[in-house]
Amino acid sequence: MKEDIKAKWQKVVEIITDNIGEARSKTWFGVAVPRSYKDNKLTLQLPSKFFVEKYEEDFYGILTSSLVKVFGKDIKLIYEVEIVNHDKESKVTISGTKQSQAIKSKYIQSLQSNSPILSPQDPKPTFDPQLNESLTFENYCVGQSNKLPFTIAEYIANNPGKNDFNPFFLYGEVGVGKTHLIQAIGIRVKETHPNAKVSFVPLRQFQQLYQNAYIKKEIPYFIQWFQQMDVLLIDDLQELSNKSGTTDALFAIFNHLHQNGKAIIFTCDRKPMELDGIADRLIDRFKWGVTEELQKPDFELKKKILEFKATKNGLGLSKEVINLIAEYSTGSVRELEGIVMGILTRSIALNCPITLELAKDVMKHTVRPKTPKLINFEMIVETTADFFNINPDKIFSKSRVRNVADARQIIMYLSQKLTSLSSTVIGKKLNRSHTTVLHGIQQVEDRVNFTKDLTEAVEVIERELKS
């Protein structure tokens, strides 16, 4: 019987592989182990909760359809995860395919059937808000680079009836956490107002629904369905470009919701004024609320995200490994997640501890090498002077004030480390002797290991120079 389960699961994996490619399938589905199949319930063992999130978010569609094809339409999926790696006592089970309930939703079902999105005889359909339960505010790491967007999002979630930030237009590069943040709004609203109608819909899906309604001549029902919402979360608005019919429908939905004090939140990969192929009248509506950029995580936030992801997946990442990843990653949250999962899977496959060398090896395959930045003496002086908030001219003077002397010695130290200048040339540039420069470098090297303020100054200045 167990062999039969394995054979069936292998068929599921083969279907998935045909759709997502062998490399991705091996990474994400090669580690899944089918444990049991009883009463239409398939139990899969996965390495960590992150795999559960990945299955439920990125692979939900292909996973659900493949399971139905092989096991039948009544299949239920249960995940088995060890919270602490290699500790069977920490094992927990998690019900799977939460998003698959959306298939039962009338407006999703309408993509494949002849039933209307909404008919006059059925004015209040039940529906799935399409929220991923793991994308909460509590699971969102906050730092200086994303503090303001997070604060606004949390305010909207805690005050769904207020129009202080309506609409909320959140933009930023791919992978910085926009979807997570707006999903968190929806989840918080549902927690505090269970009867609220909340809908998360990617623009591409919104467009498919519109096209289906257009073919069936049911656009009024389509618009009416979305006009019921208390909170509407639309993801990836840039895909609305040059879709005039969909834009007109969204315009009507927007006006109705805004006039009735309902929350409207958008994500996009660019500012509203940079959107092409979208009617100006809709872009003007975005200006009624607040527009905020979600920036890439800075160094400190990247470290916080890595620590959170590692703890969540039962990984013990050393400070050196975390600093390495934070230093050389581009800043995308998705990239950070990918690196953590790469380290996890490599560690499991090799049955070895996570070392700096293992992390470096994983990053060679996941992080695009950065082109080394050319750093010169003048840049070091300017950056160091900015850090200490002093006039650069004082560095070249005879002043022995503590912060000026520290700045001068750090410049000596970094000039030797980051440039090809000799100590003699560094001395001439600083109006100091060769021996003074060597002494200054030695002072920094001696103090950097036990003086916290100096260590922080050197790290921040060097990081700024390399960024």
Side-chain angles (χ1 to χ4, degrees), residues 102 105-108 110 116-119 122-130 197-201 205-206 209 213 218-232 253 256-257:
S105 166
K106 293 200 172 184
Y107 83 93
I108 300 297
S110 68
I117 295 169
L118 178 69
S119 69
D122 186 16
K124 293 184 179 180
T126 58
F127 64 94
D128 188 319
Q130 297 200 99
K197 294 186 176 71
V198 177
S199 181
F200 169 85
V201 56
Q205 187 183 68
F206 186 86
L209 294 167
E218 294 171 351
I219 290 176
Y221 299 144
F222 168 84
I223 293 173
Q224 188 181 349
W225 195 92
F226 280 102
Q227 285 178 339
Q228 298 178 83
M229 296 304 116
D230 297 302
V231 179
L232 180 60
I253 292 165
H256 178 87
L257 294 178

Side-chain angles (χ1 to χ4, degrees), residues 54-68:
K54 198 74 175 175
Y55 281 24
E56 291 296 300
E57 183 179 354
D58 291 1
F59 300 115
Y60 137 74
I62 184 62
L63 176 60
T64 301
S65 59
S66 302
L67 286 168
V68 169

